[in-house]
Amino acid sequence: MASLDTPLPDVVGGRTAKPLEKAFGMRTVRDLLGHYPRRMAERGELTELGSLRVDDEVTVVADVLSSTIKRAPSGQRREVVVGDGRARLHLVFFGKGVWRSKDLVPGSRGLFSGKVGQFNATRQLVHPDYLLLRGDGDDLEDATAGVFANRLIPVYPATQAVRTWVVSNAVHQALLMLDPVPDGLDAVVRARRGLLDSDSALRAMHEPDDYENWKSARKRLAWDEAMGVQLALAQRRWLSSSNPAVPRRPKPGGLLEAFDARLPFTLTDGQREVGEVVAEELGQPHPMHRLLQGEVGSGKTVVALRAMLQTVDAGGQAALLAPTEVLAAQHTRTIESLLGPLAQGGRLGGSETATRIALLTGSLPTVARKTALLEAATGVAGIVVGTHALIQQHVSFADLGLVVVDEQHRFGVEQRDALRSKAEQPPHLLVMTATPIPRTVAMTVFGDLETSTLAELPAGRAPITTSVVPATEKPAWVERVWQRIREEVAAGHQAFVVCPRIGADLAEFDAEFETVDEEGPPGRPPLAVSDVLPMLTDGPLHGLRVAPLHGRLTAEDKDRTMTEFAAGRIDVLVATTVIEVGVDVPNATVMAVLDADRFGVSQLHQLRGRIGRGGHPGLCLLVTDVDAEAPARERLDAVAATTDGFALARLVVEQRREGDVLGAAQSGRRRQLKLLSLLRDEDLIIAARAEAADIVAADPTLADHPLLAEQVAALVRDEQAEYLEKA
Ligand code: ADP
Ligand code: MG
């Protein structure tokens, strides 16, 4: 008998095992049985031959209609015609194959594998491999009888050297010898979740009784994949929450209270609820690990700021990590203006409880930089805002209690960790993202963080209308774009014009961002700020106050431009995606995105989040040259159709291949997820997460669950191997 760890040759013999190892790297019974069928072919049903595409490697079920031998000067050949009742396919055999294929008599049914070719407008398989299927009641000594005893025929991922029936034969032998597979999951949990046991699932995945049975098998095996990931994450959460951290409890009469008292608006319910959770966690002697998701404009900054103030009240410092200099500078301005005298610690006119805000970015002038470094190191600055520069080695803090990461998708886990290592004990962590992530992806990718969501926007937000402007089809509409901008400016509002590129150098996109650049209209480079700006000021926007903003300006210039724009002394900003994240100028009401087809869905969604923030309706115009049929147009139409970021996030996930969702850094995890789909298996992932949390709560090291522990170990090994390969 055999177990999952039995070497493959011991079970199927060396002659079969060798090609299986060569083609798929299989060494053990586990490897073989982990090679799941791609689909199940119905014995009674024939493959639709009409849908076969030239050059595809296919395995089809079809009936032999005729078999004839043709003579030609080059030699004999056998031509067999097979059909599915409607379409036909030719099979051609030369040389020795002519004689060998004599068993393909009309009326027989078989599996045929080969590469689809085309000859005189007829699709054909040249020298296909095949396996004849016998009728149901046929004699059992037949080779196919055992393997294909059921109505469903598994079709495996196969190669030319290893056809699908070679795999099924090997699987059949392995299953015959395999001892019952032990189950790591309690019978109670299985019953609660309606799951097959491991042994039945593994067998039914390959040789199901019927389709329902196959689906149940698939569900159980997908569950195991979800469970492995969720157990690993639950353990990681358990480990980090068992680390000690300095509790930062709220202080009556402190900065936070003073701040709340001077806040010009009331918090939304969501902000208050998340705020309470965060306040409670900051007061714990274990580090908080929380992801704050929220639609663009939902008011995450205030939530983060309140957490920072609680930390400062408790004697600690908070660091706010922003992805760009523009955003870091803006955060500093926003925080200073929200705090007013509370941010003027040690200065004339500052309040008694006041603290100081330091800004630290890569391009600060030396003096400012030294001051910021000193304020961080001595603890004079309660809040330190910065970019990647914060992570550098010479930056130190007196007592770093809280790390806030804005727009997490721009940062890797390594950077997050590098900043956290600047505290003696792990600081609390709050990660914010406005890129909506479908719940299951959040659970799988950011699963070591607890998640909070700000679902509602603050009251009084006006809606944003988005329209696609097809420049080549409707040139007059483009005129209308500039006219609308003039109208808004005349009404006292401001506008953004966004371009994909900065300037003359064709390779020059805004360094900090990527654009989708493969789908633009051919023959023209993407529009650049440096070309569009004079075009507008000499033309349709003549007389308005227009200024450029992009990543190549000096930090001072960028800062000055943003300040001027925020103060209403600039009417129109012609910018790159530097304004994509977080730029907050409530008076801006219209945005024209030029070459909009060059941007991705979430980028566009982020971009338009810059307008309609001040209670005035926003208008976003997506200008494009691509045809109405182009895939890029579909993307633009989707963005125009909804402002629901979560709906758009699903669209992004659906359009990309599943694996891409997890990102390159997660490819180890991806390899483990053979059956699990982050979109289709949402319920399953949620259930597995709940069960995993319960199991780890009761048995953190999985000492009492050796099989589950082994499953997690395998996952972690795979991820580490992947990591090492890349390093
Ligand atoms: P995001 O979640 O996109 O980072 P911000 O934190 O930048 O959003 O907030 C967007 C705008 O909404 C800011 O101008 C902020 O001052 C304002 N805001 C935040 N909370 C509220 C609220 N409860 N009521 C009214 N305005 C709010
Ligand atoms: Mg923000």
Side-chain angles (χ1 to χ4, degrees):
M1 295 305 277
S3 77
L4 289 175
D5 294 314
T6 305
L8 206 47
D10 296 358
V11 174
V12 301
R15 265 188 44 192
T16 306
K18 201 165 278 162
L20 284 170
E21 178 172 1
K22 200 156 163 239
F24 306 111
M26 296 172 184
R27 301 228 169 105
T28 61
V29 172
R30 185 191 313 279
D31 297 338
L32 172 66
L33 298 181
H35 189 76
Y36 302 136
R38 199 200 308 270
R39 63 186 166 92
M40 286 286 156
E42 295 258 357
R43 175 180 279 272
E45 262 175 40
L46 301 171
T47 310
E48 248 189 71
L49 297 176
S51 62
L52 298 181
R53 286 189 319 225
V54 172
D55 284 347
D56 280 356
E57 280 283 348
V58 297
T59 297
V60 300
V61 186
D63 288 330
V64 176
L65 303 178
S66 67
S67 174
T68 42
I69 291 185
K70 301 254 166 91
R71 277 167 235 283
S74 52
Q76 287 187 358
R77 69 176 191 277
R78 182 188 297 274
E79 286 193 11
V80 177
V81 179
V82 299
D84 63 0
R86 273 175 301 177
R88 293 161 175 234
L89 181 68
H90 287 237
L91 314 177
V92 187
F93 299 88
F94 299 100
K96 286 197 177 122
V98 175
W99 169 77
R100 284 199 192 124
S101 57
K102 68 180 187 324
D103 54 349
L104 291 176
V105 293
S108 52
R109 172 168 292 189
L111 280 172
F112 303 92
S113 284
K115 189 169 168 179
V116 181
Q118 179 119 332
F119 184 71
N120 288 343
T122 311
R123 275 157 320 135
Q124 62 178 23
L125 303 179
V126 176
H127 269 301
D129 287 318
Y130 63 90
L131 181 75
L132 286 176
L133 303 171
R134 305 296 152 117
D136 281 337
D138 254 358
D139 95 70
L140 285 175
E141 272 164 89
D142 180 79
T144 68
V147 187
F148 297 127
N150 302 325
R151 198 165 56 84
L152 294 173
I153 300 161
V155 179
Y156 288 92
T159 67
Q160 228 169 15
V162 186
R163 292 301 187 189
T164 175
W165 50 82
V166 175
V167 180
S168 16
N169 268 314
V171 165
H172 187 67
Q173 283 179 52
L175 289 179
L176 283 177
M177 291 182 66
L178 184 67
D179 288 323
V181 176
D183 201 322
L185 204 59
D186 281 354
V188 184
V189 178
R190 290 202 309 261
R192 180 160 57 220
R193 303 295 178 181
L195 297 167
L196 285 183
D197 64 274
S198 285
D199 189 68
S200 314
L202 197 57
R203 292 174 196 274
M205 188 65 196
H206 296 279
E207 299 183 348
D209 299 333
D210 54 31
Y211 204 71
E212 279 307 306
N213 187 219
W214 192 51
K215 269 174 39 192
S216 304
R218 187 200 162 279
K219 177 178 166 189
R220 169 61 206 264
L221 296 172
W223 169 280
D224 287 345
E225 294 178 3
M227 188 81 174
V229 173
Q230 294 304 335
L231 281 171
L233 292 168
Q235 279 191 307
R236 217 175 290 176
R237 288 198 301 273
W238 172 78
L239 256 179
S240 57
S241 68
S242 56
N243 275 332
V246 182
R248 313 283 177 175
R249 296 200 184 87
K251 186 172 113 190
L255 259 176
L256 178 56
E257 280 188 7
F259 170 78
D260 282 345
R262 55 167 279 135
L263 202 59
F265 43 72
T266 42
L267 297 176
T268 62
D269 290 347
Q271 284 172 320
R272 209 180 4 258
E273 279 157 26
V274 176
E276 273 163 25
V277 172
V278 170
E280 208 272 324
E281 286 182 346
L282 283 176
Q284 295 298 319
H286 303 293
M288 168 175 80
H289 279 223
R290 189 158 284 278
L291 173 73
L292 175 55
Q293 278 201 87
E295 188 61 85
V296 202
S298 57
K300 295 183 290 294
T301 315
V302 174
V303 174
L305 181 54
R306 294 185 71 250
M308 293 193 264
L309 294 175
Q310 178 174 331
T311 308
V312 175
D313 275 339
Q317 290 169 290
L320 171 55
L321 187 60
T324 67
E325 297 204 343
V326 169
L327 193 55
Q330 178 185 286
H331 272 315
T332 312
R333 271 195 307 272
T334 309
I335 291 173
E336 284 185 335
S337 82
L338 281 171
L339 287 174
L342 300 175
Q344 302 297 320
R347 294 208 182 100
L348 213 61
S351 118
E352 218 165 280
T353 43
T355 186
R356 288 258 278 271
I357 321 299
L359 171 67
L360 194 64
T361 60
S363 57
L364 280 185
T366 319
V367 179
R369 192 180 157 68
K370 284 202 171 137
T371 312
L373 283 172
L374 195 68
E375 288 186 345
T378 56
V380 168
I383 297 176
V384 183
V385 182
T387 53
H388 293 88
L390 276 185
I391 297 166
Q392 281 152 17
Q393 260 176 1
H394 56 272
V395 181
S396 68
F397 294 85
D399 180 11
L400 182 58
L402 169 66
V403 169
V404 179
V405 183
D406 196 12
E407 306 298 346
Q408 158 74 17
H409 62 297
R410 307 282 187 206
F411 293 102
V413 176
E414 301 78 17
Q415 288 159 316
R416 209 211 265 171
D417 288 347
L419 186 52
R420 289 169 70 209
S421 70
K422 292 184 184 293
E424 271 173 29
Q425 287 194 334
H428 301 280
L429 174 71
L430 181 64
V431 170
M432 303 193 285
T433 177
T435 300
I437 313 163
R439 187 158 168 220
T440 48
V441 178
M443 280 182 181
T444 310
V445 180
F446 297 115
D448 58 334
L449 304 173
E450 305 290 343
T451 309
S452 299
T453 304
L454 288 182
E456 61 187 321
L457 298 184
R461 277 298 151 73
I464 300 174
T465 312
T466 307
S467 303
V468 180
V469 178
T472 30
E473 293 152 46
K474 317 246 159 139
W477 290 19
V478 182
E479 292 309 308
R480 183 81 189 112
V481 169
W482 309 127
Q483 204 180 327
R484 285 293 289 125
I485 289 182
R486 295 195 76 99
E487 286 164 16
E488 286 299 315
V489 171
H493 297 307
Q494 292 163 283
F496 295 104
V497 175
V498 183
C499 306
R501 199 159 55 91
I502 299 176
D505 182 350
L506 285 189
E508 198 158 44
F509 292 92
D510 218 318
E512 287 159 299
F513 297 97
E514 279 168 38
T515 53
V516 183
D517 58 358
E518 77 278 13
E519 284 190 68
R524 169 170 82 63
L527 291 169
V529 172
S530 67
D531 300 331
V532 169
L533 185 76
M535 188 274 279
L536 291 176
T537 50
D538 294 346
L541 300 186
H542 184 72
L544 302 189
R545 295 167 299 177
V546 185
L549 184 71
H550 54 72
R552 252 197 323 133
L553 298 174
T554 65
E556 276 166 67
D557 283 346
K558 269 189 283 196
D559 202 38
R560 180 152 11 87
T561 304
M562 275 314 296
T563 311
E564 295 280 290
F565 188 64
R569 288 191 290 270
I570 293 172
D571 300 316
V572 182
L573 271 191
V574 181
T576 56
T577 46
V578 285
I579 60 153
E580 178 188 349
V581 275
V583 167
D584 186 28
V585 177
N587 192 43
T589 51
V590 54
M591 169 179 288
V593 184
L594 306 185
D595 278 348
D597 47 279
R598 307 270 178 167
F599 299 89
V601 168
S602 41
Q603 252 181 336
L604 292 169
H605 182 63
Q606 288 276 334
L607 279 169
R608 73 175 157 184
R610 303 307 110 218
I611 52 171
R613 294 168 84 89
H616 313 287
L619 176 64
C620 177
L621 300 162
L622 306 175
V623 185
T624 178
D625 274 346
V626 300
D627 306 339
E629 291 80 40
R633 263 297 272 286
E634 236 171 83
R635 240 177 19 226
L636 299 185
D637 291 338
V639 173
T642 178
T643 48
D644 178 347
F646 285 89
L648 288 173
R650 283 192 83 88
L651 180 89
V652 171
V653 174
E654 275 159 25
Q655 280 185 348
R656 294 192 207 157
R657 291 217 327 279
E658 288 268 335
D660 296 342
V661 176
L662 291 178
Q666 304 284 344
S667 49
R669 192 165 301 169
R670 173 163 80 221
R671 202 158 50 190
Q672 295 278 336
L673 306 184
K674 287 188 268 190
L675 296 172
L676 192 70
S677 155
L678 294 181
L679 283 178
R680 288 190 308 275
D681 296 321
E682 184 164 342
D683 295 346
L684 198 103
I685 294 173
I686 291 167
R689 184 174 173 88
E691 296 291 352
D694 283 354
I695 292 172
V696 169
D699 177 20
T701 60
L702 297 179
D704 299 334
H705 296 83
L707 287 169
L708 296 182
E710 174 46 39
Q711 205 179 321
V712 174
L715 179 85
V716 172
R717 265 199 307 274
D718 212 34
E719 285 185 6
Q720 278 169 352
E722 186 82 17
Y723 182 75
L724 290 177
E725 265 168 43
K726 278 196 300 192

